[in-house]
Amino acid sequence: MLSAPVLLASRPRERDPNLAVPESILTVGIPYAGGRTVASLISTVLRWAYNDVGTVARERFGETEGEAFHRAQAEVAKRLLQDPRLVGRFMSWSYASVEPIGQTIQWLDKASDSLPLVVFLNAGDQLLEYCAQETAGDVAMIETVQNRVRRELLKRQEQDSYLILDVPELPLGAGFHQDRDVLFDAYVELAFQAATWVHERHGGPSLDQGSGLLSDLWRQRDARSARTSGRQQR
């Protein structure tokens, strides 16, 4: 139905973006928590632009790895956090690189008017271990950075400016293709929850009435549930 490279590619906002929702939404979490997919799916229901910090850093600075790549990502994220209305207007964006998050997440507390809105994907112990294994990272450092994100969000006076979602425990480790499918299904469910929050708290479109890929996936899920219920009743 969809191609992940297309879903996660940078996109400009559409001609009729939603103007009711505050103008910038960041989805942040460690690698494999689903930030890129969730942010991209949110953008489809709002008809907003979508960007990922790592992708922008590669395109703008030409860096792809190592400390130079981390510095490039930190520069991009700092600008988006400092001036969300000027740099990231009507944009859903994601941030999932551990070291740059640790270097810049304090700017969340300095952003004006509680922008950007933040969806924080909180990983449990299982996913922390999986992330460390897959990225050759240090699990203690990854957990420390994740905890810093939570602390910065809790400093905000406007509690409706952020949403903390726990990534569910998942049956990972079966292999690349199986893990990818399991993770994507979980990311879609997290995107449903995030879009519902945007609708209920910030005036965004409902998934039932909205357009775009995320609303399509929502309606397909409802249709499958209805068919399953009908078979059970018979």
Side-chain angles (χ1 to χ4, degrees), residues 11 14 38-50 92:
R11 297 189 302 274
E14 299 182 37
V38 171
S40 181
L41 287 170
I42 290 173
S43 76
T44 69
V45 77
L46 294 174
R47 308 178 77 85
W48 281 10
Y50 163 70
S92 173

Side-chain angles (χ1 to χ4, degrees), residues 3-14 17 23-28 34-56 58-59 76 80 87-96 121 187:
S3 166
V6 172
L7 176 67
L8 301 180
S10 297
R11 297 189 302 274
R13 65 175 180 259
E14 299 182 37
E23 298 161 290
S24 177
I25 301 176
L26 162 63
T27 303
V28 60
R36 292 178 67 196
T37 302
V38 171
S40 181
L41 287 170
I42 290 173
S43 76
T44 69
V45 77
L46 294 174
R47 308 178 77 85
W48 281 10
Y50 163 70
N51 270 304
D52 175 71
V53 166
T55 301
V56 174
R58 281 190 292 271
E59 293 172 348
V76 171
L80 287 166
V87 182
R89 197 161 183 254
F90 302 122
M91 184 168 77
S92 173
W93 57 287
S94 56
Y95 197 13
L121 304 177
Y187 301 161

Side-chain angles (χ1 to χ4, degrees), residues 204-224:
S206 70
L207 287 168
D208 288 316
Q209 298 177 350
S211 60
L213 176 59
L214 188 59
S215 284
D216 290 343
L217 292 171
W218 174 261
R219 286 187 283 265
Q220 288 177 21
R221 188 185 73 162
D222 281 353
R224 286 195 300 270

Side-chain angles (χ1 to χ4, degrees), residues 108-131:
L108 273 177
D109 191 42
K110 298 176 174 61
S112 62
D113 299 322
S114 297
L115 282 177
L117 299 181
V118 179
V119 176
F120 170 43
L121 304 177
N122 183 55
D125 292 342
Q126 177 205 35
L127 193 57
L128 287 167
E129 294 282 353
Y130 184 83
C131 175

Side-chain angles (χ1 to χ4, degrees), residues 13-197:
R13 65 175 180 259
E14 299 182 37
R15 292 183 178 180
D16 53 347
N18 181 282
L19 304 179
V21 177
E23 298 161 290
S24 177
I25 301 176
L26 162 63
T27 303
V28 60
I30 66 170
Y32 298 99
R36 292 178 67 196
T37 302
V38 171
S40 181
L41 287 170
I42 290 173
S43 76
T44 69
V45 77
L46 294 174
R47 308 178 77 85
W48 281 10
Y50 163 70
N51 270 304
D52 175 71
V53 166
T55 301
V56 174
R58 281 190 292 271
E59 293 172 348
R60 183 166 299 175
F61 297 101
E63 302 291 349
T64 59
E65 60 183 18
E67 187 58 34
F69 187 38
H70 292 161
R71 288 197 300 271
Q73 290 185 79
E75 180 63 29
V76 171
K78 185 176 177 181
R79 290 192 64 197
L80 287 166
L81 290 168
Q82 285 182 305
D83 299 305
R85 282 201 171 99
L86 297 177
V87 182
R89 197 161 183 254
F90 302 122
M91 184 168 77
S92 173
W93 57 287
S94 56
Y95 197 13
S97 188
V98 173
E99 292 86 349
I101 290 174
Q103 294 167 13
T104 58
I105 203 64
Q106 70 272 13
W107 286 98
L108 273 177
D109 191 42
K110 298 176 174 61
S112 62
D113 299 322
S114 297
L115 282 177
L117 299 181
V118 179
V119 176
F120 170 43
L121 304 177
N122 183 55
D125 292 342
Q126 177 205 35
L127 193 57
L128 287 167
E129 294 282 353
Y130 184 83
C131 175
Q133 174 185 321
E134 295 297 313
T135 63
D138 179 74
V139 68
M141 184 184 75
I142 296 170
E143 184 174 19
T144 297
V145 168
Q146 176 171 268
N147 289 338
R148 284 191 62 195
V149 176
R150 184 187 298 105
R151 287 197 299 271
E152 292 298 332
L153 289 174
L154 294 176
K155 290 179 184 178
R156 285 187 156 188
Q157 294 184 352
E158 182 52 65
Q159 294 185 357
D160 278 348
S161 70
Y162 64 88
L163 173 69
I164 299 176
L165 294 175
D166 291 328
V167 182
E169 295 295 311
L170 301 167
L172 299 174
F176 172 75
H177 293 291
Q178 292 91 332
D179 286 354
R180 184 176 60 179
D181 291 343
V182 167
L183 287 166
F184 183 77
D185 289 344
Y187 301 161
V188 171
E189 290 297 324
L190 291 167
F192 288 156
Q193 295 177 56
T196 298
W197 170 71

